[in-house]
Amino acid sequence: MKKGEVIDLVNRDLGDEHAATLRYLIHGYLEGEDTPIGASLLSRAREEMWHMHWLGMIVGQLGAEPNLVPAAYPYDPTNRVTIFKSYVEYEEKLIPHYNGEADRVDDPHIKRVLQREAWESAIHARKFQRILDKLSPEEAKGRPGGEAKLPKEFLDKLQKEIASKYTEMLQHIRYSWVFQKEGILGWQLMDQAMEKMKQLAHFAEDVAGDGIPPNFKQGQVDTSVTIGLALKKALEDVQNAREGHLGFHKDGEVKKHPGLVINLDLTVQQEEYQAAEIKDWTKNK
Ligand SMILES: [Fe+2]
Ligand SMILES: [Fe+2]
């Protein structure tokens, strides 16, 4: 298979894995990470992130631009039975899809990754089937989420935080894929991407805890092709995010949520740390 075809194929799969990550994350947060169904979904979401990561690394290795647009994840939202049936169906369809692709590519690493995506999708289908089999009558007829109790304005602010941290996180993950040949810097960027995922989770959990699906709305992701420009943008973003969080901290509604206050304090300190680190890396670039 020609290089361009491999890139297109892997990039399409990247969009699918991204879609699965978001679907299981959102659903998992809505169920609550302290519930067996929620914990299981978040665990699947983490595995989908790995799937995304392997594909993104391949695109980066091939010197191409990774596709950061999630594909559609079709599912029937009527109740938990229809939702989990959709998930089983989605994962089962991926098995022949990935195996077929693996047969067509020549590179042994890419082949193995695609085969692994196939057999892990098979495991996912089985795990979702098990949830389906164990649903209580109550769970079966219900669906995740509910009526919001938080003031709309406050919810909108939290959704904005989710969107901007999600964008920052995608940008960093892209940097780590595209600049993987920069050695240790690629790892460091990946490390910061992971931290951003955790910060994103703080806000997403609060929104979902109120019964509302977190809105993973992607902003403009920087596509710098030189590491110097990328680091400059990363630094600006994290500094702006920190300023925004310091302002958010003063919001009257925030004060009513002690858990969020702690997470904001943590996030602000982590952002200071990240900015200092990036400044250091920039010195040598
Ligand atoms: Fe996957
Ligand atoms: Fe999966």
Side-chain angles (χ1 to χ4, degrees):
M1 194 185 281
K2 287 195 191 109
K3 186 173 155 184
E5 286 174 76
V6 178
I7 291 167
D8 289 346
L9 174 153
V10 175
N11 254 337
R12 266 199 309 277
D13 292 337
L14 183 54
D16 287 334
E17 294 301 323
H18 193 166
T21 304
L22 293 181
R23 176 84 294 270
Y24 306 151
L25 259 190
I26 293 168
H27 186 171
Y29 287 142
L30 284 172
E31 298 283 0
E33 61 179 338
D34 52 353
T35 65
I37 296 179
S40 177
L41 281 160
L42 292 176
S43 187
R44 295 297 78 70
R46 269 176 233 121
E47 287 158 0
E48 303 298 5
M49 286 179 208
W50 281 114
H51 294 177
M52 264 186 90
H53 179 56
W54 300 328
L55 298 172
M57 285 295 280
I58 291 170
V59 176
Q61 263 158 20
L62 294 172
E65 184 56 40
N67 164 30
L68 294 179
V69 182
Y73 189 118
Y75 71 101
D76 178 347
T78 312
N79 55 44
R80 284 191 184 81
V81 173
T82 63
I83 294 173
F84 280 104
K85 272 191 179 158
S86 303
Y87 294 176
V88 171
E89 210 175 288
Y90 182 89
E91 296 285 350
E92 277 178 344
K93 264 194 204 154
L94 288 178
I95 309 166
H97 166 82
Y98 277 123
N99 280 329
E101 288 185 342
D103 289 343
R104 281 159 49 219
V105 301
D106 308 305
D107 180 277
H109 168 68
I110 302 176
K111 195 186 270 292
R112 261 195 308 274
V113 165
L114 293 169
Q115 283 165 345
R116 181 164 179 180
E117 307 263 359
W119 52 258
E120 290 206 358
S121 299
I123 298 285
H124 285 182
R126 286 165 65 193
K127 296 230 179 198
F128 288 136
Q129 185 61 49
R130 244 171 80 79
I131 293 180
L132 203 45
D133 295 341
K134 290 199 308 192
L135 287 175
S136 69
E138 206 53 40
E139 287 168 335
K141 62 176 192 255
R143 59 176 171 193
E147 291 288 312
K149 285 171 215 69
L150 292 173
K152 176 156 185 328
E153 200 192 333
F154 181 61
L155 259 179
D156 288 348
K157 278 188 190 166
L158 288 173
Q159 294 282 33
K160 252 181 75 190
E161 290 296 336
I162 294 170
S164 80
K165 211 34 106 175
Y166 171 54
T167 307
E168 249 192 87
M169 187 275 291
L170 280 176
Q171 189 166 293
H172 266 250
I173 243 188
R174 177 208 172 262
Y175 290 160
S176 76
W177 295 338
V178 171
F179 301 119
Q180 59 186 281
K181 293 190 182 84
E182 299 282 340
I184 187 74
L185 204 48
W187 279 96
Q188 288 164 326
L189 286 161
M190 183 64 200
D191 182 66
Q192 290 205 353
M194 285 196 275
E195 201 159 273
K196 289 176 196 296
M197 278 178 219
K198 183 71 195 161
Q199 293 165 339
L200 164 64
H202 298 321
F203 300 117
E205 280 161 13
D206 281 326
V207 169
D210 198 41
I212 303 299
N215 190 4
F216 286 80
K217 192 168 170 281
Q218 195 179 129
Q220 186 66 42
V221 174
D222 173 55
T223 50
S224 293
V225 289
T226 63
I227 188 74
L229 282 175
L231 291 176
K232 192 169 167 274
K233 178 77 168 78
L235 180 61
E236 277 167 20
D237 284 351
V238 80
Q239 284 172 332
N240 287 338
R242 181 180 166 274
E243 287 301 313
H245 291 142
L246 285 172
F248 195 28
H249 211 286
K250 296 188 190 110
D251 187 299
E253 184 65 30
V254 167
K255 294 196 175 76
K256 296 184 200 157
H257 305 275
L260 180 58
V261 172
I262 297 175
N263 285 331
L264 267 177
D265 286 339
L266 175 66
T267 301
V268 166
Q269 284 178 291
Q270 287 173 337
E271 286 167 339
E272 275 169 26
Y273 176 96
Q274 290 188 337
E277 286 281 284
I278 298 173
K279 268 188 203 157
D280 247 8
W281 306 336
T282 320
K283 275 184 204 155
N284 314 319
K285 291 284 147 194

